[in-house]
Amino acid sequence: MTAKDSILTALDESLLHVHNNNNSKWNYLINRRYVMALEDLFSGESKNIEYKQAITNDSKKYMKTVIAFANGEGGRIVFGIEDESLHIIGMDKEHIFQSMDAITNAISDSCSPMIIPDITVHEIDNKAVIVVEIAAGMQRPYFIKSLGIKDGTFVRTGGTTRHADPYILKELILEGENRFFDRLPIANMHISETDINKLCRTLKKMAQANSLSAKEKVSVKAVTKNTLLSWGVLIEKDGEILPTNAYALLTNQHELPPTIQCAVFKNDTRSVFVDRREIGGTIQEQVDAVHQYVLEKINLGARFNGMYRQDVYELPPDSVRELIANAIVHRSYIEPGHIQVAIYDNRLEITSPGMLLRGVTIEKMKEGYSKIRNRALASAFSYMKIIEQWGSGIPRIIKECQEYGLRYPELIDFDGDFRINLYRNTNSNISTTQATQGTTQATQATQATTQASKTNLSSDDIAVLRLIYDNSSITQKEMAASLSWEVNRVKYYINKLKKKNIIKRVGSSQKGHWVLLIEESAWQR
């Protein structure tokens, strides 16, 4: 009989006892809670549970798992259970306490820093099993003394224990010392006051571009050298101002940041590429460029309110942007991988290198819990109004997906990476709706053309539209030069056409482009 079968049998017997004796209901409730806890304990090997049939003379066979649990989220080793069948072997009851002492001493003597386990005995089907519980450690990295820190550090991946790769070891060391990669100074890289002032202006300009109102834009405070020092973008050492990794990420220097890999795949697997692109630049530029790439590749519908057209993407654009920004801020830059943004027929998949930090779980993230891996970047992104700094992003994304009628977002922690899937509408009801929208698109376009003809476009309006039609990436300065106008005159007509919902800007002022919202026949003369 397996451990799980024995647990269920115990619960059935307890329930039968309640049926025959009403006075024992309280005992049943206590027993039921205990049994449910055991059922969870013996549910099969996982990231947090491992089974051992017996205590071997060579303690290294289970010490690696002890180390891996301490370096991760913690976990439990159960002695007396066959790992594949979950068959209860049991431990020698006459020497059970000697066995527990032997495990405690082995862990205490073998591990550095010292790990103190919580060891208990459970009896199932008249057989004793020993449960060794290891808490998530605070003094990482933990390693086997005899092997040394390089060869003796282990981590848990899925239901297996494996040797920590060099980049994982570096991250564990930083985490144990409460240090952050983005705040580390870059050796042999020197910057001038001109370089610093240029970054300050760039950050302020981005913050103003992301402001939602003129009042908010005016209220954006200037960034100074002291601001960058307080964030950790710069560091002062021996009287010299040095750039940190955060500075390099924000300025695209010193081989940072890595490019972001974007791709569209046919169907629901990675077997057939439809399109692929690698996006570089500073991290703040990457946010806009990757966001724009996704919006270009997913479906776009429209709603009409009187004469005005409202574009509606199949995925909430704000949530997509926030997921991209979160991936950039929270990824491990020690790990030599790329953020991957993959678009399939049924989902948008964003994968960020780096295991979850200690104390962070998927369930906690859904409730708004956040632990920042790159604090300097988080400060800069918060200032630029790209992200919220206090963990509200995931709950807000979940809420937006629900409002869109989409499937619940999927959060996955696997193989040292973190992935979020936003699922596109693929059920029959949604597909029918989308098909109906598609068949009526021509009718809506005709309506838009008729409505646009009533907007009384001037020759100057049309001059601006022609420039946008010829080059959707044209800047306002380039428009002014082409038309021999002042820039303020161009801005006037741009704002006028925006208010009439004839054009719109997608993306930032530097990396975005213009979109015409009316048919060509409505303005070409």
Side-chain angles (χ1 to χ4, degrees):
M1 180 180 290
T2 67
K4 191 169 183 179
D5 291 336
S6 297
I7 291 167
L8 295 176
T9 299
L11 184 57
D12 290 340
E13 291 175 352
S14 181
L15 182 59
L16 180 62
H17 188 58
V18 171
H19 180 73
N20 294 329
N21 183 357
N22 290 332
N23 293 328
S24 64
K25 186 172 291 186
W26 176 248
N27 291 333
Y28 165 70
L29 292 174
I30 295 175
N31 191 27
R32 181 177 183 275
R33 186 175 299 171
Y34 171 74
V35 168
M36 290 176 68
L38 287 182
E39 185 178 0
D40 177 63
L41 182 62
F42 300 112
S43 58
E45 284 197 344
S46 66
K47 187 176 182 179
N48 307 105
I49 298 177
E50 182 157 306
Y51 303 103
K52 299 293 181 183
Q53 185 169 323
I55 302 172
T56 60
N57 292 329
D58 184 7
S59 63
K60 285 182 183 177
K61 291 187 176 181
Y62 66 86
M63 208 58 60
K64 294 177 182 179
T65 302
V66 170
I67 291 293
F69 285 155
N71 282 328
E73 301 173 7
R76 290 169 287 190
I77 304 175
V78 185
F79 290 92
I81 299 289
E82 206 280 325
D83 61 345
E84 293 184 2
S85 66
L86 294 187
H87 182 72
I88 305 172
I89 306 299
M91 306 296 293
D92 182 1
K93 290 185 179 180
E94 290 187 12
H95 301 93
I96 195 77
F97 294 110
Q98 291 94 322
S99 298
M100 294 170 68
D101 289 341
I103 294 171
T104 301
N105 292 334
I107 293 174
S108 176
D109 294 341
S110 301
C111 303
S112 180
M114 182 180 289
I115 296 173
I116 301 176
D118 182 14
I119 303 182
T120 56
V121 177
H122 295 268
E123 187 165 313
I124 304 173
D125 200 19
N126 293 321
K127 296 179 181 178
V129 298
I130 297 175
V131 179
V132 179
E133 187 156 3
I134 306 296
M138 302 286 289
Q139 298 175 283
R140 303 176 179 192
Y142 292 85
F143 59 95
I144 297 174
K145 291 180 185 177
S146 61
L147 297 178
I149 188 171
K150 182 179 178 181
D151 297 322
T153 303
F154 296 86
V155 292
R156 194 76 171 165
T157 301
T160 61
T161 297
R162 65 181 179 89
H163 184 261
D165 293 325
Y167 65 85
I168 293 179
L169 178 57
K170 289 179 183 178
E171 187 149 337
L172 289 171
I173 291 172
L174 287 177
E175 189 177 358
E177 296 174 351
N178 197 32
R179 298 164 67 209
F180 305 90
F181 170 81
D182 63 333
R183 288 183 168 184
L184 297 180
I186 300 175
N188 302 320
M189 182 178 175
H190 302 282
I191 54 174
S192 65
E193 289 292 327
T194 301
D195 296 326
I196 295 172
N197 292 334
K198 181 180 178 181
L199 176 58
C200 290
R201 291 193 300 270
T202 298
L203 298 180
K204 182 179 180 181
K205 186 176 181 180
M206 180 66 76
Q208 291 176 327
N210 290 328
S211 297
L212 299 178
S213 66
K215 182 179 180 180
E216 184 179 355
K217 183 176 181 178
V218 171
S219 67
V220 173
K221 295 181 179 179
V223 179
T224 65
K225 179 168 68 176
N226 287 335
T227 307
L228 299 180
L229 285 167
S230 68
W231 290 349
V233 174
L234 302 176
I235 189 171
E236 187 172 4
K237 188 176 182 180
D238 299 329
E240 183 181 2
I241 301 298
L242 301 175
T244 65
N245 289 314
Y247 179 91
L249 289 160
L250 290 164
T251 58
N252 191 20
Q253 297 186 61
H254 202 68
E255 299 183 353
L256 288 172
T259 58
I260 296 179
Q261 297 176 336
C262 301
V264 179
F265 296 94
K266 187 175 179 63
N267 299 322
D268 301 334
T269 66
R270 296 195 176 194
S271 57
V272 180
F273 274 103
V274 175
D275 181 72
R276 69 177 79 183
R277 190 181 305 171
E278 290 210 5
I279 294 175
T282 67
I283 51 175
Q284 59 269 32
E285 290 171 343
Q286 286 181 342
V287 172
D288 285 332
V290 176
H291 183 229
Q292 183 55 41
Y293 179 86
V294 173
L295 296 186
E296 288 174 358
K297 302 303 180 182
I298 63 176
N299 295 324
L300 175 65
R303 295 174 185 161
F304 286 89
N305 182 13
M307 65 178 291
Y308 297 109
R309 166 187 170 127
Q310 179 186 4
D311 290 332
V312 181
Y313 288 95
E314 62 173 314
L315 296 174
D318 289 345
S319 292
V320 172
R321 179 180 170 84
E322 184 141 18
L323 286 178
I324 295 166
N326 284 343
I328 291 172
V329 167
H330 292 292
R331 70 152 288 173
S332 167
Y333 286 97
I334 297 175
E335 183 173 340
H338 297 265
I339 294 172
Q340 293 187 332
V341 178
I343 302 172
Y344 303 87
D345 288 354
N346 69 333
R347 70 189 185 279
L348 166 66
E349 179 185 274
I350 300 177
T351 306
S352 179
M355 60 186 179
L356 293 180
L357 296 177
R358 177 179 51 82
V360 179
T361 65
I362 288 175
E363 292 306 315
K364 286 182 178 180
M365 292 174 67
K366 292 176 181 177
E367 296 172 359
Y369 180 82
S370 177
K371 196 170 184 180
I372 299 170
R373 177 180 262 113
N374 300 296
R375 294 195 175 182
L377 299 186
S379 296
F381 268 42
S382 178
Y383 168 81
M384 289 186 285
K385 307 181 188 300
I386 297 175
I387 64 166
E388 293 283 344
Q389 195 169 358
W390 306 113
S392 61
I394 296 299
R396 186 167 57 250
I397 289 166
I398 291 172
K399 182 180 178 182
E400 279 196 297
C401 287
Q402 290 174 332
E403 292 172 348
Y404 257 64
L406 301 175
R407 175 179 161 183
Y408 203 89
E410 186 177 20
L411 284 64
I412 306 170
D413 177 22
F414 73 108
D415 292 340
D417 293 336
F418 181 68
R419 173 175 293 170
I420 295 185
N421 290 326
L422 291 189
Y423 282 91
R424 306 167 74 176
N425 281 325
T426 57
N427 63 64
S428 57
N429 290 336
I430 297 297
S431 297
T432 301
T433 303
Q434 289 177 334
T436 302
Q437 289 177 346
T439 57
T440 58
Q441 190 173 13
T443 302
Q444 292 172 342
T446 302
Q447 292 173 348
T449 300
T450 304
Q451 291 158 355
S453 66
K454 298 176 182 179
T455 58
N456 297 321
L457 293 174
S458 68
S459 59
D460 288 340
D461 293 327
I462 294 171
V464 172
L465 290 175
R466 282 197 177 118
L467 291 176
I468 291 173
Y469 179 79
D470 292 335
N471 179 12
S472 63
S473 299
I474 192 170
T475 65
Q476 294 184 19
K477 286 184 179 180
E478 290 170 340
M479 290 183 192
S482 178
L483 297 170
S484 299
W485 290 358
E486 295 292 331
V487 174
N488 285 339
R489 184 179 178 187
V490 173
K491 289 182 178 179
Y492 168 79
Y493 284 101
I494 288 292
N495 289 330
K496 176 184 174 183
L497 294 170
K498 280 183 178 179
K499 288 179 181 179
K500 289 187 174 183
N501 213 37
I502 293 172
I503 63 171
K504 77 168 186 176
R505 183 74 178 176
V506 176
S508 70
S509 58
Q510 294 178 327
K511 296 292 183 179
H513 67 275
W514 301 101
V515 175
L516 292 172
L517 302 179
I518 62 174
E519 292 294 307
E520 181 184 351
S521 59
W523 57 271
Q524 287 280 29
R525 296 177 185 175

